[in-house]
Structure formats: structure tokens, C-alpha cells
Amino acid sequence: MAHIKTPKPNGGTTANSDNVLQQYVDTDGHFSMVRNFRLADLVTIMNGVCGSFSIFSSTHYLINNDDDCLWWAFALPLAGLMFDFFDGKVARWRKSSSLLGQELDSLADLVRNTSFYDQTFASCFPQISFGVAPAVLAFTIGLRTYLDTVCLTGFICCGLARLARFNATVALIPKDGGGKARYFEGLPIPSSLGLVALMFYWTRQGWVEGKAGIPGGLVTLWGPSGGRGDIHLASILFGLMAAAMVSKTLRVPKP
């Protein structure tokens, strides 16, 4: 198995101690994986919990038309952002790492600095809270045509690609004196919360399916109305967001 590489002060690399792996050899039993979790890993997982509950709340709304479910679906991705923000801080505070945390980081969305702890404790869960959950919310409020779902699927896949590209290219992004990346290459995936906020406003105004309708209305690109050629103009916003996330030339300065 390949060892985890960490930077040396002189710019070289060295293999970590086998103690990182030994923790999985020394623990056994049905709940050994749970015992190997660190506090930051649990904070990371809570991001996925928020995203998952947002999706379930959206589907409950589609079933029973209960507005409370829809409000929860809007609120939970914001809670996910809070957990996404704190997981790296908890990792640095606890000064602990785990291979489980590194795997959770396989699609990390935000780089805090180049230390091992910071690369370890972000997560793939942002793709749930900031990718899948907003797309399901859009479907819930009315973006339900065939072409709408094509745009929403593209949005999810571009979010996934953006996370994977970040993980692969983070070492190439210029750093400041503290080792922190100077900018995001493409929009970071939590920026999709801007679309969530916009949909929340539409919902408060009643501009959703079954009420006043989605702003911009529906256009037919081909075929009869009501067929596969129909698309809501609002779906274009998701397409633009998708393109911005995977853009290589768009550089967003880090705060």
C-alpha cells in the first residue's frame, strides 16, 4: 500500500510512520471502524447528514405538499455549510488525523492550507449538501421537464468534477506566505447556496410549480408543447453555475 506523503521543510517528501495504518490492524470487532473516527470526521459526516435530510425533506414535500418540509429542505444545506466550515478547524484544533478522514476528503471542496490535517478533514459530503440537494430542490419547486433534468444532472456532475479536479491540482495553485492557496480555480461548490437562496426567495413569493409558476416561464425548443423539448429558462442558471465550477480560467480570490 502506498504511504501518505507529507511535505518536508526543505521541499522534499517523506513517508509517514506506519502508525497511521497500524490503528486499523490493532482494532478489531464489529464497531472498530467507528472507534477509529476522529471528532473532525464526525463533523464532516454531519455535512452529509444535512444534505441527505434536505433531499428527504424535498421528497416529503412532493408527496404531501407540506410547506414545512420544503422550508427544512432549504435550511439544511446552510447547516451543512456550517459543518463544512468547522471540520478543518476542528482537525487543526485536535491535531489528529485518520485514513478514514483522508478518504472522506477524496472530493474535498475547500483548501485551507497545505498541511496534512487540512487536506484530511474536508469531505466528499459537500457534493450531497451543495450539489445533489440543490438540484433536488430545483426539481421540487418545478424544474421537472426532460431538459430541466438534463441541466440539473449536468450541474451535479460538474460539481463532482470540480471537487475531483481540486484534489488533483491543489498542489499547483500558488500559495501565500502561510501556505494557503491564493484563489479558487472555478467557483467553489458551496457557492451553489446562492441558487438555494434564490429558490428560497421564489418560494416565499409563490413562484413555484402549482402556484404562480417558475420565473422566466417555459419555452419549447422542439416538438410539441409538453414534450421533451420543453425547458424552463431558470434551468439555464444551473447550467451557468456548472460551467463556472469547472472553469479553469475563472479564479476566485480566497478571503
Side-chain angles (χ1 to χ4, degrees), residues 147-231:
L147 290 181
D148 288 342
T149 57
V150 169
C151 289
L152 296 178
T153 301
F155 168 78
I156 294 171
C157 292
C158 285
L160 184 65
R162 192 255 180 245
L163 297 175
R165 183 188 66 182
F166 163 79
N167 224 29
T169 64
V170 61
L172 303 177
I173 296 178
K175 309 296 191 298
D176 60 19
K180 190 175 183 179
R182 294 183 182 276
Y183 55 79
F184 295 113
E185 194 174 79
L187 281 181
I189 193 169
S191 61
S192 66
L193 289 182
L195 291 176
V196 173
L198 180 62
M199 292 187 290
F200 176 81
Y201 176 75
W202 289 350
T203 303
R204 289 292 300 269
Q205 299 300 314
W207 300 338
V208 297
E209 184 73 19
K211 296 181 181 178
I214 301 293
L218 186 74
V219 297
T220 302
L221 300 182
W222 70 79
S225 178
R228 286 179 171 256
D230 288 356
I231 185 173

Side-chain angles (χ1 to χ4, degrees), residues 93-112:
W93 167 54
R94 298 288 293 179
K95 291 184 172 61
S96 62
S97 62
S98 72
L99 289 179
L100 290 174
Q102 188 183 27
E103 290 307 310
L104 292 177
D105 182 48
S106 62
L107 295 174
D109 64 328
L110 295 173
V111 59
R112 281 107 183 166

